[in-house]
């Protein structure tokens, strides 16, 4: 096949970002007239294969191997490398999940083939295949092109394509096999766990005031707290605020924090990096206050205020009281 | 315990980012550079492991033109023992296969127990260099580390998973670990550290070759797709209009 989609197991179902990469493969395939296939793996990937076969791809390859029972970078990178060598696709597509970040660069190194990561779009205009990625925390974009012979490994950012657009079909399932040895796996993994949320449930909040690094220092956090209180809103934050210890991690919104969809999300001094945006772009109304008129947050905001949060926030609190 | 820390010099989060007229890259003349954020955490983690063990060596390794000596000095001032500067004429390749190969070639005879790097750079953000290096050097790898524990020829790493989940993974040494921001509190260099750094050794070496297998075709400012209502005026007017918007348009007051 020409395009191989690598699907990830997410608690027994195909990871949403895998479905999004099916959409990317369907677009690339139809524009360039290329065949598509999807790979599922695990100790027993029968159910995943069944789920994958309901999409419009030419075939599904299922690899069942006891050494793939739980995720390891060693095992997964070796298995994917072997399937790529067997199938010799031109494109290998992934969702840019945390798991893919962890092992796909190893596949790239094993094959000495490029891995174009975290793309937000693809274009085949004039037969030239171009992938688009964000750079500098979403402040600039870049068109990226692979060179040399394929296969080219390509991953897509969360929501670059909508999983709802994955065309359905009925693909045949083929059994694939890989040659793994227990001695290849040099890591031991414990069970995944979640940390105490500390009583902060942002997911059901109607109003959220969220504070970013632009607040400047820990001593300024009360400005946001008072505004939240005046509005009757929950207080949330971007990652650097948690990293710096200004707020506990339960307040973090984003890909490694909570996903929220309040009626109003008021972002104070937040630049709008994708890892933050994935956690709050479902908000009904996004209001952003940022001193930089070019900040990427204004690209997704419904209402924008260019200004200094340290000046605006106290006055806003006062006006609301 | 011998630990290499890969650090990269990148534009600071508030630096202007002027684009070159041929749109091939940013105009480096107009940029305020800093140490990449997650690399700073990686360096701190390495320094703490050395201090806990009471022995060992932390070596800062960076690739780029002369300007990057600033972050190398910063690493030395914070407590790294020595540095390796892989000197290039330009910012270096954007292809992590090339960069990681250059790092691997530079370090192959050093026998490091651990290679630490930030999980991704705040410029191009390929997020692969440390992981590829591990593969090239036959080391175990783990990414997105939020805590580490070293002992008995092993490193235990608390890996960040999606949506607030974590997982402990144990790796035999040598290992290459990419570090996520927030796992410690990076120190500032002391005055004594800054003075002492001047005497520390920086080995400058040539990069090995390698053809890029991916490149930037065009760099540009993204176009906004959403209509944003901008609330303008003096601060007082902005506040007044904002309250009005919350009351009458968003209807949350
Ligand atoms: C794997 C991974 C996972 C991540 N997970 C998350 C996550 O879950 N959540 C998350 O938030 N991030 C996450 N990040 C980090 C993310 O990439 C960004 O670094 C982060 O979101 C930036 O936070 P910020 O906007 O607060 O800071 P910055 O990007 O530094 O932005 C600060 C903003 O404040 C503005 N500003 C400064 N001073 C003022 C002032 N006085 N008044 C008004 N505006 C001002 C600046 O113009 C700037 O736009 C993750 C990154 C990675 C690689």
């Amino acid at each position: 096949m020409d395009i191989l989609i690598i699907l990830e197991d997410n608690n027994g179902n195909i990871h949403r970002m895998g479905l999004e990469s099916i959409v990317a493969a369907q677009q690339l395939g139809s524009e360039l007239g290329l065949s598509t296939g999807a790979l599922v793996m695990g100790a027993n990937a029968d159910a995943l294969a069944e789920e994958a076969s309901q999409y419009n791809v030419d075939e599904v390859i299922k690899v069942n191997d006891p050494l793939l029972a739980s995720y390891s970078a060693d095992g997964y990178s070796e298995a994917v490398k072997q399937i790529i060598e067997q199938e010799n696709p031109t494109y290998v597509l992934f969702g840019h999940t945390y798991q893919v970040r962890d092992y796909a660069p190893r596949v790239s190194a094993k094959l000495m083939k490029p891995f174009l990561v975290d793309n937000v779009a693809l274009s085949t205009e004039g037969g030239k295949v171009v992938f688009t990625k964000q750079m500098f925390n979403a402040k600039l974009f870049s068109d990226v092109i692979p060179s040399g012979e394929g296969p080219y490994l390509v991953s897509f950012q969360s929501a670059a394509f909508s999983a709802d657009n994955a065309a359905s079909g009925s693909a045949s399932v083929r059994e694939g096999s890989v040659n793994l040895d227990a001695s290849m796996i040099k890591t031991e993994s414990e069970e995944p766990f979640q940390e105490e949320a500390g009583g902060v449930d942002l997911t059901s909040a109607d109003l959220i005031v969220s504070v970013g690094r632009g607040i400047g220092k820990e001593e300024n956090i009360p400005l946001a707290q008072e505004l939240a209180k005046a509005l009757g809103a929950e207080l949330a934050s971007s990652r650097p605020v948690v990293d710096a210890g200004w707020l506990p991690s339960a307040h973090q919104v984003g890909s490694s924090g909570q996903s929220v969809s309040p009626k109003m999300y008021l972002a104070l001094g937040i630049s709008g990096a994708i890892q933050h945006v994935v956690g709050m772009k479902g908000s009904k109304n996004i209001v952003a206050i940022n001193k930089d008129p070019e900040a990427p947050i204004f690209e997704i905001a419904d209402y924008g205020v260019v200004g200094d949060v340290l000046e605006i926030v106290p006055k806003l609190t006062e006006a609301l009281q | 315990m011998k630990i290499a820390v890969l650090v990269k010099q990148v534009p600071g989060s508030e630096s202007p980012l002027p684009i070159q007229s041929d749109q091939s890259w940013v105009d480096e003349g107009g940029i305020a550079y800093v140490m990449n954020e997650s690399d700073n955490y990686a360096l701190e983690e390495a320094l703490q492991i050395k201090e806990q063990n009471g022995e060992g060596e932390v070596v800062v390794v960076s690739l780029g033109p002369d300007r990057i000596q600033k972050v190398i000095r910063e690493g030395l001032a914070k407590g790294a023992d020595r540095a390796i500067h892989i000197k290039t004429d330009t910012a270096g390749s954007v292809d992590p296969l090339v960069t990681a190969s250059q790092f691997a070639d530079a370090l192959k005879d050093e026998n490091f127990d651990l290679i630490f790097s930030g999980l991704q750079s705040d410029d191009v953000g390929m997020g692969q260099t440390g992981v590829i290096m591990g593969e090239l050097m036959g080391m175990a790898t783990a990414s997105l580390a939020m805590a580490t524990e070293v002992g008995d020829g092993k490193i235990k790493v608390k890996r960040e998973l999606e949506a607030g989940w974590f997982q402990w993974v144990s790796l035999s040494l040598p290992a290459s670990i990419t570090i996520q921001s927030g796992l410690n509190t990076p120190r500032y260099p002391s005055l004594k550290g800054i003075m002492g750094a001047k005497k520390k050794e920086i080995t400058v070496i040539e990069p090995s070759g390698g053809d890029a297998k991916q490149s930037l075709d065009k760099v540009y400012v993204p176009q906004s797709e959403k209509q944003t209502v901008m609330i303008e005026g003096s601060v007082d007017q902005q506040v007044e209009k904002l309250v009005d918007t919350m009351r009458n348009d968003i209807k949350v007051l």
Side-chain angles (χ1 to χ4, degrees):
Chain A
M1 89 223 18
D2 306 311
I3 305 173
L4 176 65
I5 311 152
I6 314 291
L7 299 176
E8 184 173 320
D9 179 352
N10 185 26
N11 296 319
N13 293 307
I14 297 172
H15 195 293
R16 174 187 48 83
M17 286 165 72
L19 302 181
E20 293 170 8
S21 57
I22 292 179
V23 182
Q26 288 173 341
Q27 184 190 327
L28 192 62
S30 74
E31 287 175 12
L32 298 177
L34 300 177
S35 62
T36 53
L39 173 70
V40 291
M41 359 180 242
N44 182 341
D46 293 1
L48 282 185
E50 169 66 24
E51 188 186 348
S53 71
Q54 291 161 23
Y55 290 95
N56 186 18
V57 291
D58 294 311
E59 60 175 340
V60 174
I61 304 173
K62 170 180 79 179
V63 174
N64 286 342
D65 190 305
L67 290 174
L68 299 173
S70 63
Y71 168 75
S72 73
D74 295 322
Y76 274 48
S77 61
E78 184 57 32
V80 169
K81 177 210 126 186
Q82 289 183 18
I83 295 293
I84 292 173
E85 281 176 339
Q86 291 165 22
E87 304 295 329
N88 199 26
T90 309
Y91 296 96
V92 183
L93 306 190
F94 304 82
H96 197 60
T97 62
Y98 283 27
Q99 189 174 99
V100 163
R101 285 172 174 275
D102 194 59
Y103 81 88
R106 303 254 317 252
V107 181
S108 165
K110 284 173 195 282
L111 298 166
M112 283 313 249
K113 295 296 177 187
F115 180 27
L116 285 70
V117 292
D118 210 10
N119 293 289
V120 293
L122 73 88
S123 146
T124 58
E125 243 176 76
K128 182 179 174 191
V129 181
V130 174
F131 299 95
T132 301
K133 124 179 251 313
Q134 299 177 333
M135 299 197 309
F136 302 100
N137 280 319
K139 286 177 208 132
L140 299 181
F141 275 28
S142 175
D143 289 345
V144 186
I145 42 172
S147 50
E149 297 246 312
Y152 311 122
L153 281 55
V154 181
S155 70
F156 292 96
Q157 190 169 89
S158 175
F161 295 86
S162 168
D164 296 343
N165 295 337
S168 52
S170 59
S172 57
V173 177
R174 168 158 65 94
E175 194 106 25
S177 75
V178 292
N179 192 355
L180 299 179
D181 185 297
S183 70
M184 289 171 178
I185 296 163
K186 295 182 212 145
T187 56
E188 264 170 67
S189 302
E190 294 172 19
E191 282 300 307
F193 62 96
Q194 241 178 335
E195 245 146 45
E196 281 287 330
V200 189
D201 182 16
L202 301 171
T203 55
S204 57
D206 238 3
L207 303 177
I208 289 179
V209 169
S210 190
V211 39
R213 178 150 46 198
I215 198 79
K217 54 181 176 190
E218 187 169 11
E219 291 73 27
N220 293 336
I221 296 287
L223 295 179
Q225 274 162 338
E226 279 150 33
L227 176 57
K229 208 168 136 213
L231 274 167
E234 291 286 345
L235 187 65
S237 81
S238 68
R239 178 168 197 127
V241 169
V242 169
D243 286 349
W246 300 347
L247 282 175
S249 63
H251 292 271
Q252 184 174 314
V253 165
S255 63
S256 39
Q258 301 192 47
S259 285
V260 300
S261 49
K263 197 162 177 204
M264 178 175 80
Y265 189 90
L266 177 54
L268 309 174
I270 291 177
S271 65
I274 179 63
Q275 293 86 2
H276 186 77
V277 168
V278 292
M280 49 66 83
K281 67 173 186 310
S283 307
K284 312 291 171 299
N285 292 279
I286 298 170
V287 184
I289 307 180
N290 195 301
K291 69 173 186 192
D292 175 8
E294 317 253 277
I297 190 81
F298 289 128
E299 271 150 49
I300 59 150
D302 299 282
Y303 301 93
V305 182
V306 176
D308 185 341
V309 288
L310 301 180
E311 259 184 89
I312 296 172
V313 171
K315 291 198 173 176
L316 184 57
T317 308
E318 205 186 295
L320 289 167
Q321 277 161 350
Chain B
M1 190 68 50
K2 201 171 153 185
I3 311 174
V5 184
L6 312 188
V7 298
K8 186 174 189 180
Q9 193 190 40
V10 298
S13 67
E14 302 210 359
S15 169
L17 295 168
I19 296 170
Q20 280 182 2
S21 55
D22 66 358
Q23 289 192 289
S24 62
W25 186 231
V26 287
D27 185 354
E28 300 210 343
I31 287 174
Y33 285 102
V34 299
M35 185 185 293
N36 187 52
E37 188 171 15
S38 49
D39 302 355
N40 195 17
Y41 286 96
L43 173 62
E44 179 62 34
E45 196 67 8
L47 293 172
Q48 288 189 13
I49 290 172
K50 182 190 154 181
E51 285 159 6
Q52 278 154 19
N53 275 7
E55 51 91 35
E57 190 183 28
V58 174
V59 182
V60 165
V61 191
S62 188
L63 180 147
D66 282 333
R67 63 168 161 80
I68 69 164
Q69 289 232 348
K70 189 160 167 264
V71 292
I72 291 177
R73 294 264 173 227
E74 184 183 332
L76 294 173
K78 287 182 175 182
D81 298 287
R82 63 185 168 95
I84 299 171
H85 176 184
I86 306 169
K87 197 175 154 192
T88 56
D89 298 331
T90 61
S93 176
V94 295
D95 184 355
L97 272 181
V98 174
T99 323
S101 302
Q102 289 170 334
F103 276 114
D105 287 335
L107 302 188
K108 65 178 186 295
D109 298 326
E110 291 263 5
N111 294 319
F112 283 106
D113 300 297
L114 284 169
I115 295 176
F116 280 180
S117 53
L119 85 161
Q120 77 179 45
S121 59
D122 290 330
D123 53 4
V124 190
M126 293 288 185
Q128 302 176 55
T129 305
V131 182
I132 292 179
M133 271 189 79
E135 174 69 34
L136 295 178
M137 301 182 80
M139 296 178 169
T141 61
S143 64
L144 287 145
M146 281 301 284
T148 70
E149 286 171 11
V150 178
D152 300 332
K154 281 184 189 292
I155 181 165
K156 256 185 98 179
V157 173
K158 180 182 167 191
R159 289 195 56 232
E160 181 173 295
L161 309 178
E162 270 145 43
W165 287 76
F166 299 92
Q167 179 174 37
W168 282 98
V169 181
S170 171
L171 302 84
S172 52
L173 300 182
S176 178
I177 313 287
T178 77
I179 303 284
Q180 168 68 300
S181 63
L183 87 170
N184 54 38
T185 306
R187 68 194 67 190
Y188 290 95
S190 65
L191 193 61
K192 191 166 150 247
I194 295 168
M195 300 309 290
K198 295 194 174 125
K199 288 186 230 102
K200 288 179 180 168
E201 177 194 329
I202 303 176
T203 312
V204 180
I205 61 173
E206 295 275 315
S208 53
D211 285 335
K213 296 192 171 77
Q214 61 176 307
S215 54
L216 306 184
D217 198 36
K218 194 171 104 188
V219 175
Y220 51 97
V221 178
Q223 296 301 312
S224 176
E225 280 153 28
K226 194 155 171 179
Q227 280 298 330
T228 305
V229 178
M230 295 309 285
I231 297 173
E232 284 156 357
S234 68
V235 173
D236 289 327
Q237 287 166 333
Q238 283 177 323
V239 168
E240 197 181 312
K241 287 184 200 168
L242 203 48
V243 173
D244 190 59
T245 300
M246 289 178 189
R247 180 166 295 129
N248 300 315
D249 301 324
I250 310 179
K251 300 191 168 64
V252 288
L253 298 184

